[in-house]
Amino acid sequence: MYRYDEFDHRFVAERVAQFRDQAERRLSGELTEEEFKPLRLMNGLYLQLHAYMLRVAIPYGTLSARQMRRLADVADKYDRGYGHFTTRQNIQYNWIKLEETANLLAELSEVEMHAIQTSGNCIRNVTTDHWAGAAADELADPRPVAELLRQWSTLHPEFSFLPRKFKIAVTGAPNDRAAVKVHDIGLRMHANDKGEHGWEVIVGGGLGRTPLIGFTVRNFLPEADLLTYLEAIMRVYNLHGRRDNKYKARIKILVHELGEENFRAEVEAEFNRQTKLDVEVEQHELERISAYFAAPDFEVLPKRSADYEIAFARNPDFAQWVRSNIAAHRRDGYAIVNISLKPEGGIPGDATSDQMRSIADLADRFSFDEIRVSHHQNLVLPHVKQDDLYKVWKVLRANDLATANIGAAGDIIACPGLDYCTLATARSIPIAQTISRRFADLNRQHEIGPLRINISGCINACGHHHVGHIGILGLEKKGVEYYQITLGGSSATDASIGTILGPGFSGDEVPDAIETIVKTYLDVRKGGDETFLDVIRRAGHAPFKEALYAPAQRQ
Amino acid sequence: MTVTEIGKALTGNRLYDGEVVFLTRTGIWSETIDAAAVALEPLSQAALEKRGEAAVANNQVTEAYLIDVERRNGRVRAQHIRERIRALGPTVRQDLGKQSDGTGGGFAAHA
Amino acid sequence: MPLLKDSEIIADTWLRLEDNASVPATGDIIVPFARLLAEFGKLSKRRGRVGIEFPNAERAEVLESFLPALSLVALPFPKFADGRAYSQARQLRQLGFAGELRASGDVLPDQLAFMLEVGFDTFEITTRFSPDIWRRTAQGLSLSYQPVKQQKRLHVWRERQLRGERSCRA
């Protein structure tokens, strides 16, 4: 894992002092709310329905046990004993006081954490594959580049007042787990004939009001050109992105309005004009960072562990959890453990301070001190020996963290919605809870197979509903919440945007509607191998529309 | 006899901690919606709004705006679900927010 | 309007000419970019330096051939959250402009450090904030991660490389 050196420490300490000064000037009335708002947002501090909300950055979703313990301490000391893991691999606290925020940030800085650029019209927390450095299918660990991007984008003087927020995702694996096609910039690693790594640069994807899949502006960008090229993209966007309408201000709209070819020409022209950034310094820095991401001291283990297989055979609950929550590791005898933060009827992504501490302890003992946050709002222990899986599972189960539903119907993504958020038009969490209870039977979930249900409480789409196999969007009409259902979205390698199925439903009707959709899928599929998404792509919306709306029409 | 009064109350979030507050008759900001001054006609509503502008200008609250409410038996209920959630707390965590200690009018936010 | 340079208020010796104002024979003047295009011959023959106010919507490249004749370019911030001038400033410095870069419009203390980093020298400010706040915000951060050419702060990556080399030699 990356560790701060004296410079990183000094930088964050100065940033905390700067924020303290800004907050004091606001509290004394020297700054108006209008002036202070962009300043606090650049430090992740929102004003939500009940209090201030602080979004703490978890760069590329990687945490140490010590950092996780500090997050738990912060939850107890400054909040109400819990935190909410987000689709941007960050954590949010919901009950924060402005007058205490600088102290909170100072405590985070002691464990090399901050809230810089978790909001505002700047480059947000860089996200990546939550299995980075562990996945069996990976070309190379993308996190050194993600850390390079973190530093480069941190308080970038040219790009801190962009037309709108800007999100970058990076993946080093052919199977995209970082949703790179629905980001402002997605970077995907490829190898050429000589075995050198380069980047496919995808621009202009995104969700929100105008969901779009990004387009590839460069197929294979040499690693050494990366920052210069990104600066060219950012500059074209900063200069020409729309500033007259915040809903048309993202880079995807600029790409759309210019057209892909013109956009590419603008970027290439700017790239050629740029005096190359100091490539030697940049490469030296990348090498320095890469050393921190060297693989941990894995033991040489047999492919299969006898202890694990005995437990697997003897304990059906454990076996079920293994089948759904364990992923293949790149090293023999190791496994990736996915921790579900989606217990039956729970609030997706929420974890109590005690749960955080128990996970920190597990990471310490069994996973080389590493934890990951996934954009599905789950946590990951990336490097667990198969021999230890049973012990890990028992601890997780004792802490209500062993729900065997990763990637299944109960593994629902949901934004905070109207229960917390000022932007929301409807609640999302209660919808997630009722669906999760409806599909509580894990055997049934596994019979259904991979199913991604994503729920957003407004058109801004923090719950990524457009890329859910089933997407649910909460809206409001005359003070009453209602929900629109989309089908066929995906954020994976074959990314697609879901389309609206038909008229919306009241909150009470949603679980039945989902039930009907799932039943229809089970009827229509040509066997267990044909997933929900496969069926939508083969058969389209028709059978689902028929099942949902025809009975009402016939009545 | 129970009389239901329909009117407007002034609300905002307190600057230093973000707490949801309501302007009372005596001109202080209360954390409880039941204590809110309810203005029944346009003139008194405009007067409330003026006091809101002053409270923003002297940095007591970050923003102040009128919400539709009804008052019955001394309890005040916001008409819109968003404002009920602000007045009470998250519907999914009834152990948190103003609802947790019984303040907020005894109305379930989602009802 | 006070003018800030190196954290001090200095006298502004430049005269801003609006669209139709007649050009004085001597002295330093700032004219709108459109006027520079229309009257370049006349303006370049007079005694006294010439500067321009350059709109956010114009491309920096169009200014390239004029730059040797210009002593000052003023870039406006219509609102502090409108950041186009940051890119224009860097572009002008990359094109080799060595004259005075001036920030005008909605210039506030908390953006000052960013403006300094991309190459601005002078700032048209209001009297609302005390000189002390301008000094403090200019110096709030001593480090920068970006390899920006006009750097006022210490560039972290370069420092690391230098230290690495020193410790290798030792």
Side-chain angles (χ1 to χ4, degrees), chain C:
Chain C
M1 184 161 279
L3 188 68
L4 187 77
K5 185 183 185 187
D6 297 330
S7 294
E8 303 293 336
I9 304 294
I10 60 162
D12 188 355
T13 60
W14 292 80
L15 179 70
R16 270 185 186 269
L17 289 189
E18 290 318 315
D19 293 339
N20 302 318
S22 63
V23 178
T26 57
D28 300 340
I29 54 169
I30 301 173
V31 298
F33 176 57
R35 222 171 146 175
L36 181 80
L37 291 180
E39 304 170 47
F40 183 67
K42 196 169 88 190
L43 288 170
S44 54
K45 281 189 208 95
R46 62 186 287 286
R47 299 218 324 264
R49 297 179 296 170
V50 177
I52 60 160
E53 167 118 353
F54 191 62
N56 290 143
E58 291 288 346
R59 290 170 180 264
E61 307 95 83
V62 304
L63 211 50
E64 187 163 8
S65 58
F66 295 103
L67 287 178
L70 295 175
S71 302
L72 179 151
V73 177
L75 295 170
F77 288 85
K79 282 181 293 191
F80 73 88
D82 183 339
R84 288 174 291 178
Y86 294 106
S87 283
Q88 291 179 309
R90 261 186 97 192
Q91 283 180 314
L92 290 174
R93 290 307 188 198
Q94 283 174 349
L95 288 170
F97 179 61
E100 177 178 336
L101 260 187
R102 180 181 286 204
S104 62
D106 197 12
V107 178
L108 298 174
D110 290 288
Q111 283 76 48
L112 184 63
F114 291 130
M115 293 180 188
L116 286 165
E117 281 294 284
V118 296
F120 283 102
D121 310 290
T122 54
F123 307 89
E124 292 178 3
I125 59 172
T126 66
T127 49
R128 213 185 111 193
F129 301 95
S130 71
D132 180 52
I133 285 176
W134 290 99
R135 207 166 294 123
R136 217 157 71 209
T137 52
Q139 294 161 357
L141 297 176
S142 65
L143 301 171
S144 162
Y145 288 111
Q146 292 78 28
V148 177
K149 215 177 167 189
Q150 301 300 316
Q151 216 127 47
K152 304 280 193 288
R153 307 182 218 160
L154 215 52
H155 178 30
V156 173
W157 295 355
R158 203 170 296 133
E159 283 308 301
R160 283 174 177 152
Q161 190 186 22
L162 291 174
R163 286 195 186 191
E165 281 166 5
R166 274 203 298 273
S167 66
C168 283
R169 263 182 258 125

Side-chain angles (χ1 to χ4, degrees), chain A residues 409 434-435 438-439 444 448 451 453 469-470 472 485-487 501 503 505-506 508-525 532 535-536 540-552 554-555:
Chain A
T434 50
I435 296 172
R438 182 66 71 93
F439 289 91
R444 182 154 171 252
I448 296 163
L451 180 58
I453 301 175
H469 302 164
I470 300 175
I472 300 172
I485 296 180
T486 54
L487 289 186
L501 193 56
F505 298 90
S506 74
D508 293 340
E509 293 167 338
V510 170
D512 284 340
I514 304 302
E515 179 91 55
T516 305
I517 290 168
V518 169
K519 276 189 180 143
T520 307
Y521 154 65
L522 293 172
D523 290 344
V524 172
R525 76 176 174 187
F532 184 86
V535 166
I536 304 272
H541 283 17
F544 300 94
K545 267 191 182 155
E546 168 70 19
L548 264 183
Y549 298 110
R554 275 195 290 271
Q555 264 171 23

Side-chain angles (χ1 to χ4, degrees), chain A residues 121 123 155-162 231-232 234-236 238-239 243 270 274, chain C residues 83-91 94 114-115 117-118 146 148:
Chain A
N121 293 337
I123 302 171
L155 300 190
H156 197 302
E158 186 180 344
F159 306 127
S160 289
F161 292 92
L162 298 168
E231 293 223 339
M234 300 304 305
R235 181 171 291 174
V236 167
N238 192 37
L239 285 169
R243 291 174 186 267
E270 187 59 47
Q274 292 248 8
Chain C
R84 288 174 291 178
Y86 294 106
S87 283
Q88 291 179 309
R90 261 186 97 192
Q91 283 180 314
Q94 283 174 349
F114 291 130
M115 293 180 188
E117 281 294 284
V118 296
Q146 292 78 28
V148 177

Side-chain angles (χ1 to χ4, degrees), chain B residues 18-56:
Chain B
E19 180 77 40
V20 176
V21 286
F22 303 88
L23 192 70
T24 67
R25 260 174 208 289
T26 55
I28 60 159
W29 289 88
S30 166
E31 296 178 15
T32 310
I33 192 170
D34 286 341
V38 178
L40 302 180
E41 31 76 40
L43 223 61
S44 54
Q45 289 165 3
L48 270 188
E49 217 162 9
K50 271 241 143 47
R51 290 168 75 173
E53 282 163 25
V56 170

Side-chain angles (χ1 to χ4, degrees), chain B residues 64-97:
Chain B
Y65 58 96
L66 292 176
I67 57 169
D68 292 320
V69 296
E70 59 179 67
R71 185 163 58 195
R72 200 182 336 145
N73 295 334
R75 320 289 313 248
V76 177
R77 179 184 194 266
Q79 304 281 32
H80 196 282
I81 182 172
R82 178 183 192 273
E83 292 307 326
R84 286 202 296 283
I85 290 173
R86 282 183 75 244
L88 295 166
T91 65
V92 294
R93 286 295 301 267
Q94 296 193 15
D95 56 323
L96 298 177

